[in-house]
Amino acid sequence: MFTGIVEKIGRVAKISLQGKNRHFFIESELAPELKIDQSVAHNGVCLTVVGIEGKVYEVVAIDETLQKTSLGTWQVGDSVNLERAMKLGDRLDGHIVQGHVDQTGLCHSIEDAQGSRIFTFHYDLSVGNMTIEKGSITVNGVSLTVVNSQKGVFSVAVIPYTYEHTSFHTLKVGDKVNLEFDVIGKYVLAKVGALELKI
């Protein structure tokens, strides 16, 4: 379980292939504090630490993860938003995030809002996800509030601190991002869908 509050930005130091799996070696100040088998969110994707050496740790993404997230596009040198799992008793500063990406989206536009930046994203509506005005959304592991919700499109306002302390400052129009929609909204949507099928 995560909160969508990014702790550090890591860097992809190395990528190796093993069959259809990819091993990512992430350089981060967090590495010495991690343990084998620990869960860490990488741009919103929960991956298990399988090796640690100095300031570099290793995680593995299976083929399904590579197909359903943006991890398949990662290259050496890319910046990655990192968050360790939430501790019981911690403040929930973001919202409840599972680290299970629902689908990817595309960055459609970036506007300077004189103090913040408005990022607009498009996503495939046919997958069955949705946003609501002032609802929560996780973009590349960052907990954000939806400021403009439309069918298959939403915007978020990113304050300067978040822009500088996450990989948002590297994001460009056309980039693929990982989206995790609000877990409570997903359950409500599933329940409503089930009721409609019964009627």
Side-chain angles (χ1 to χ4, degrees), residues 36-98:
I36 302 295
D37 279 343
Q38 195 168 8
S39 294
V40 179
H42 300 74
N43 279 2
V45 182
C46 180
L47 297 172
T48 302
V49 176
V50 298
I52 305 166
E53 191 170 329
K55 287 192 174 182
V56 177
Y57 67 92
E58 179 185 358
V59 292
V60 182
I62 63 173
D63 186 51
E64 181 183 4
T65 303
L66 296 170
Q67 297 300 322
K68 292 186 176 179
T69 69
S70 67
L71 271 63
T73 66
W74 280 5
Q75 297 179 353
V76 171
D78 281 355
S79 296
V80 182
N81 293 324
L82 303 175
E83 181 190 359
R84 288 175 288 184
M86 182 175 62
K87 290 180 184 176
L88 281 176
D90 275 0
R91 290 183 177 89
L92 187 60
D93 291 321
H95 70 282
I96 296 171
V97 177
Q98 295 179 299

Side-chain angles (χ1 to χ4, degrees), residues 122-173:
H122 286 205
Y123 63 96
D124 182 0
L125 201 58
S126 70
V127 178
N129 295 305
M130 62 173 284
T131 60
I132 61 167
E133 200 72 19
K134 301 297 184 283
S136 296
I137 185 74
T138 307
V139 179
N140 276 353
V142 182
S143 172
L144 296 163
T145 301
V146 174
V147 295
N148 183 17
S149 177
Q150 301 174 39
K151 289 186 176 180
V153 183
F154 69 89
S155 299
V156 292
V158 176
I159 62 173
Y161 181 89
T162 303
Y163 183 79
E164 291 298 331
H165 290 84
T166 69
S167 64
F168 264 92
H169 66 272
T170 68
L171 202 60
K172 303 179 298 297
V173 171

